[in-house]
Amino acid sequence: MLRVVSWNINGIRRPLQGLGCQVPSNCSTVLQHVLEELDADIVCLQETKVTRDALMEPLAVVEGYNSYFSFSRGQSGYSGVATFCKDSATPVAAEEGLSGLFATLNGDIGCYGNMTEFTQEQLRALDSEGRALLTQHKICTWEGKERPLTLINVYCPYANPGRPERLTFKMRFYRLLQIRAEALLAAGCHVIILGDLNTAHRPIDHCDAGSLECFEEDPGRKWMDGLISDLEYQAESHVAPFIDSYRYFYPKQERAFTCWSVITGARRLNYGSRVDYVLGDRTLIVDTFQDAFLLPEVMGSDHCPVGAVLNVSCVPAKQCPALCTRFLPEFAGTQLKILGFLVPREQALKRGQPVLQPSHEAQVQKQQKIQAHRHSSRPRKRQGGSRRRQKDLLSYFQPSASLSQTSDVELPRLPLVATLLTPKPPEENMTTTMVDEQTKDSEVKDEKEVQTSFWKSVLSGPSPAPLCRGHREPCVMRIVKKPGPNLGRHFYVCARPQGPPNDPSSNCNFFFWSRPS
């Protein structure tokens, strides 16, 4: 049996806190534990969000597996796919991209088809985002026949409604994918296309297809109509080269979703879409596929894994293809490191390496600079031999000795203040003291109250969130991130997860703009 799994991992560098268990001691990395939990011979990951310079050895080299990566060449932390094969399913060839522009000519797959409708710039742009990775395996059927099987691991583009050029890019990618897959079929190779196709094919694959305008007229769905056979209406429609493996086994299964909105918490009520597929050519599906499955219980991403089981055995290659990450210079031990150049002088002499010796003039100049620095850094002695002490604060309030010595003018003497005041009786002094203390206390109290009210107004925090109309529960605040006149504005929505409209426990669609403070 051959078990294949595909998963949009949404970032391989934060691997998957959602598996719900700790890494056992016999697993060297978290990723190895993830692969073992998925229990597949071949694991295809999408949206790895890692570039070549950020790929670390624990992600690139996993014990018991050989891995292959395709990186985004233009934007960091974006896109990217990876395929991990058990050593018992080592491919005979591997290749990055669909166009062949990134083929190494050493272990590539070939069979590119007619791509004359694309320019070289378009082909390079389509493959520069790290969205496709091909591995070719040798399989043996239950009849004992050996056939080549090519897995195309794809992360298809998303068509942002605000960027029409991305829809054009997406359709070009679809077209290039179909050309390459059909060329491989024409060469006598079995083909599996698996990954995130970023399109829900049928209304049964979308949670709210009825509310979408022209659902069937979407360009991506029309392309899938031409790629995937409609098993229900096969007699009336043309026979497409591929079959959706999940719908082959479960044609009427509803709410079989693989992707959910994280912002609205839609996964809690299973309100999403099915955009992750395992497609196989007709002969392969009918003759060898035993089952197809979804794994919605596996957390850690906004997608869940999908997969299939084939009644074939894999014949591993004796050596990994050149694209394997273990052959990269930084992981194969062939890349020179900076520490290799910084060896002690004695070791360099033993190895016979030339050691640079400074000239006599350079040594003299260096000694002069050191001596000059020592002279300049010595503290200068004060003339007179006495150190000047720092004045105390009270010394500024004492009469100046120089003024008494140099001034001959006799200042008029004023009478003492005590002689100008008439003494008051003790009772009046006591009353005056009590009044003064009460006045001071009231002033201090008033000042504290003013300060308290001020800080309460400053640190009062935001106003309480309004209650939604459907459940009378506090709302959550969101911020507009879409470019436009409302960019940056805050608003309140119902805090409950998004779900079917007839479900009273789902979001009530309450919306309220936050007033500026």
Side-chain angles (χ1 to χ4, degrees), residues 419-431:
T419 59
L420 300 177
L421 298 177
T422 57
K424 295 183 179 179
E427 295 82 3
E428 188 175 350
N429 289 335
M430 187 177 298
T431 304

Side-chain angles (χ1 to χ4, degrees), residues 22-29 32-33 36 63:
Q22 294 183 351
V23 179
S25 57
N26 59 346
C27 291
S28 59
T29 64
Q32 182 182 1
H33 174 58
E36 292 182 358
E63 184 179 357

Side-chain angles (χ1 to χ4, degrees), residues 114-135:
N114 186 4
M115 300 182 181
T116 56
E117 59 187 270
F118 302 99
T119 65
Q120 289 293 310
E121 291 76 11
Q122 291 173 347
L123 291 175
R124 187 168 296 277
L126 290 170
D127 275 346
S128 293
E129 292 189 359
R131 294 185 175 274
L133 189 63
L134 287 74
T135 54

Side-chain angles (χ1 to χ4, degrees), residues 319-337:
Q319 185 177 1
C320 298
L323 190 64
C324 183
T325 52
R326 68 177 60 171
F327 297 140
L328 294 177
E330 56 265 38
F331 306 129
T334 59
Q335 183 178 16
L336 295 177
K337 298 182 180 180

Side-chain angles (χ1 to χ4, degrees), residues 135-161:
T135 54
Q136 191 170 83
H137 307 259
K138 184 183 292 185
I139 60 172
C140 183
T141 64
W142 60 275
E143 299 173 345
K145 297 180 180 179
E146 290 188 357
R147 294 285 302 275
L149 169 64
T150 301
L151 271 71
I152 307 179
N153 178 8
V154 291
Y155 173 47
C156 296
Y158 167 70
N160 191 332

Side-chain angles (χ1 to χ4, degrees), residues 260-319:
W260 303 266
S261 171
V262 176
I263 297 176
T264 61
R267 191 167 188 171
R268 290 168 55 188
L269 298 177
N270 192 22
Y271 196 69
S273 59
R274 190 171 74 95
V275 297
D276 302 271
Y277 298 85
V278 178
L279 311 178
D281 65 82
R282 295 182 60 85
T283 304
L284 187 68
I285 291 281
V286 175
D287 293 345
T288 67
F289 270 58
Q290 297 295 303
D291 190 20
F293 55 86
L294 313 179
L295 300 175
E297 69 277 3
V298 177
M299 301 293 178
S301 171
D302 55 342
H303 295 247
C304 77
V306 302
V309 179
L310 289 73
N311 187 19
V312 299
S313 60
C314 193
V315 181
K318 295 182 179 180
Q319 185 177 1

